[in-house]
């Protein structure tokens, strides 16, 4: 009796499984247009390009306000921060700038290899701050794989960053997680049927440990105030990454928050908390003298 090889079945089925998961969060141009059709505030789009990089940015809020730079994970896109970009209170206090990281979305130069270097991505994403005219340093937020890039940007450009926020940060090279399908996604045959952004994320995944080891000696260079949030039930990034952060940033101006019941997508599951933390970093007057931010103080630091 003929038996269909199990591995062959996985090889054929995997593109459907992974691309299906990808479509759950990916947005088409039509969906983005429909989202903003009836909204009073729409993003401004700008593309910054030089010989080595192309960076696509969505900007909301007056560009004379201090910048809030948003860096997504892997895979991801600028619209992963759609809820924050649409937040009218944040718009009143910040010029929100959300980027497509190099090789993701529209930040792609043809015939260029995937940029997996944390250093190169940090240098490239720093270009987004040129879209702001306030002359004031930025609040930089990075989540998941975007967190170490945000941290490196703050190390490289301390004069351009006044506060760093890392959400569910994948920063410990000894805690990188791999799944049963991770290796399969590297097969050229499988990649032929996967969205480009998933292939980019796979390349980044398999370079991440090496890149984090390169970053580790540089943590003492981080000199800006830092806030870190981690979910206790995060199955994508090991919550023990927070222990790594505590060791690396010991003695620095850093706040650590653990949300015991939260998963990985904290900016989506706890938008009010994230907003409150961001507004604590502004030097603009807050409604009610800032009384509404008291819920943050009630969160037990890790």
């Amino acid at each position: 009796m003929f038996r269909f090889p199990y591995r062959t079945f996985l090889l054929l089925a995997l593109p459907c499984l992974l691309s299906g998961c990808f479509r759950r969060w990916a947005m088409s141009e039509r969906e983005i247009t429909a989202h903003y059709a009836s909204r009073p505030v729409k993003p401004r789009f700008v593309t910054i390009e030089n010989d080595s990089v192309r960076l696509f940015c969505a900007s909301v809020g007056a560009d004379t306000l201090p910048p809030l730079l948003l860096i997504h994970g892997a895979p991801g896109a600028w619209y992963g921060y759609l809820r924050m970009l649409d937040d009218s209170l944040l718009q009143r206090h910040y010029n929100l700038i959300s980027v497509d990281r190099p090789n993701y979305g529209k930040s792609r130069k043809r015939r260029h290899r995937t940029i997996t270097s944390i250093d190169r991505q940090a240098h490239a994403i720093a270009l987004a701050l040129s879209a702001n005219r306030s002359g004031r340093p930025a609040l930089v937020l990075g989540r998941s794989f975007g967190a170490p890039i945000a941290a490196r940007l703050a190390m490289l450009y301390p004069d351009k960053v006044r506060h760093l926020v890392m959400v569910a940060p994948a920063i410990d090279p000894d805690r990188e997680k791999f799944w049963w399908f991770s290796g399969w996604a590297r097969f050229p045959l499988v990649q032929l049927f996967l969205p480009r952004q998933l292939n980019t994320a796979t390349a980044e995944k398999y370079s991440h440990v090496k890149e984090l080891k390169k970053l580790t000696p540089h943590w003492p260079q981080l000199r800006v105030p830092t806030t870190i949030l981690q979910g206790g039930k995060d199955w994508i990034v090991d919550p023990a990454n927070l222990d790594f952060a505590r060791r690396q940033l010991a003695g620095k101006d850093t706040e650590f928050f653990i949300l015991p019941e939260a998963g990985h997508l904290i900016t989506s599951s706890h938008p009010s908390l994230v907003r409150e933390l961001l507004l604590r970093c502004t030097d603009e007057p807050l409604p009610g003298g800032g009384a509404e931010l008291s819920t943050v103080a009630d969160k037990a630091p890790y």
Side-chain angles (χ1 to χ4, degrees), residues 145-158:
F145 271 39
I149 297 168
R152 187 60 178 146
L153 191 156
M155 298 171 193
L156 292 167
Y157 300 95

Side-chain angles (χ1 to χ4, degrees), residues 6-259:
Y6 176 69
R7 291 191 176 184
T8 303
F9 171 77
L10 282 179
L11 192 64
L12 295 174
L14 195 63
C16 298
L17 293 172
L18 292 181
S19 59
C21 292
F22 177 82
R23 283 194 295 268
R24 291 178 185 175
W25 63 263
M27 292 183 72
S28 66
E29 290 292 331
R30 178 178 295 180
E31 289 170 327
I32 293 170
T33 300
H35 174 83
Y36 281 108
S38 60
R39 294 182 180 271
V41 178
K42 297 174 175 58
R44 304 178 297 277
F45 298 112
V46 60
T47 300
I48 302 166
E49 189 166 3
N50 57 34
D51 291 340
S52 59
V53 70
R54 182 181 189 197
L55 192 71
F56 180 80
C57 313
S59 176
V60 174
D63 60 9
T64 52
L65 291 171
L68 167 53
L69 180 59
L70 304 171
I71 304 174
H72 65 76
W78 70 267
Y79 51 74
Y81 288 106
L82 211 58
R83 186 196 296 261
M84 293 174 62
L85 293 170
D86 291 343
D87 190 307
S88 60
L89 188 55
L90 289 177
Q91 291 170 5
R92 290 203 294 271
H93 294 280
Y94 291 108
N95 172 206
L96 295 91
I97 305 172
S98 186
V99 301
D100 278 343
R101 289 203 283 116
N103 300 113
Y104 287 99
K106 296 181 180 179
S107 292
R108 179 192 180 201
K109 287 182 76 73
R110 291 186 178 181
R111 302 185 185 89
H112 279 220
R113 297 184 63 183
T114 298
I115 300 174
T116 57
S117 164
I118 288 176
D119 263 34
R120 288 185 63 192
Q121 291 202 55
H123 281 296
I125 292 171
L127 296 173
L129 297 177
S130 65
N132 180 267
R133 297 188 301 118
S134 71
R136 298 155 79 177
L139 171 57
V140 179
L141 183 150
R143 65 186 182 195
S144 194
F145 271 39
I149 297 168
R152 187 60 178 146
L153 191 156
M155 298 171 193
L156 292 167
Y157 300 95
D159 58 324
K160 294 185 178 181
V161 180
R162 66 189 176 99
H163 200 106
L164 169 67
V165 178
M166 293 191 288
V167 182
I171 54 177
D172 186 346
D174 294 327
R175 298 284 181 174
E176 188 74 14
K177 282 191 174 184
F178 292 86
W179 296 273
W180 67 267
F181 55 80
S182 298
W184 288 88
R186 301 180 76 187
F187 275 80
L189 180 59
V190 172
Q191 292 190 343
L192 283 174
F193 298 94
L194 293 178
R196 175 176 52 83
Q197 294 189 199
L198 273 182
N199 291 332
T200 298
T202 298
E204 194 172 11
K205 180 73 173 174
Y206 278 89
S207 300
H208 206 231
V209 170
K210 179 183 69 175
E211 288 299 316
L212 291 179
K213 286 181 178 179
K214 289 180 184 177
L215 180 63
T216 298
H218 296 291
W219 285 105
Q221 299 173 11
L222 185 61
R223 306 196 185 281
V224 303
T226 301
T227 302
I228 303 175
L229 290 86
Q230 176 61 54
K233 294 185 176 179
D234 189 336
W235 65 276
I236 295 178
V237 169
D238 191 328
N241 274 266
L242 202 60
D243 297 328
F244 177 85
R246 285 170 63 87
R247 293 193 301 272
Q248 298 299 323
L249 301 178
K252 294 185 178 292
D253 184 2
T254 309
E255 284 187 297
F256 303 90
F257 293 92
I258 183 77
L259 306 178

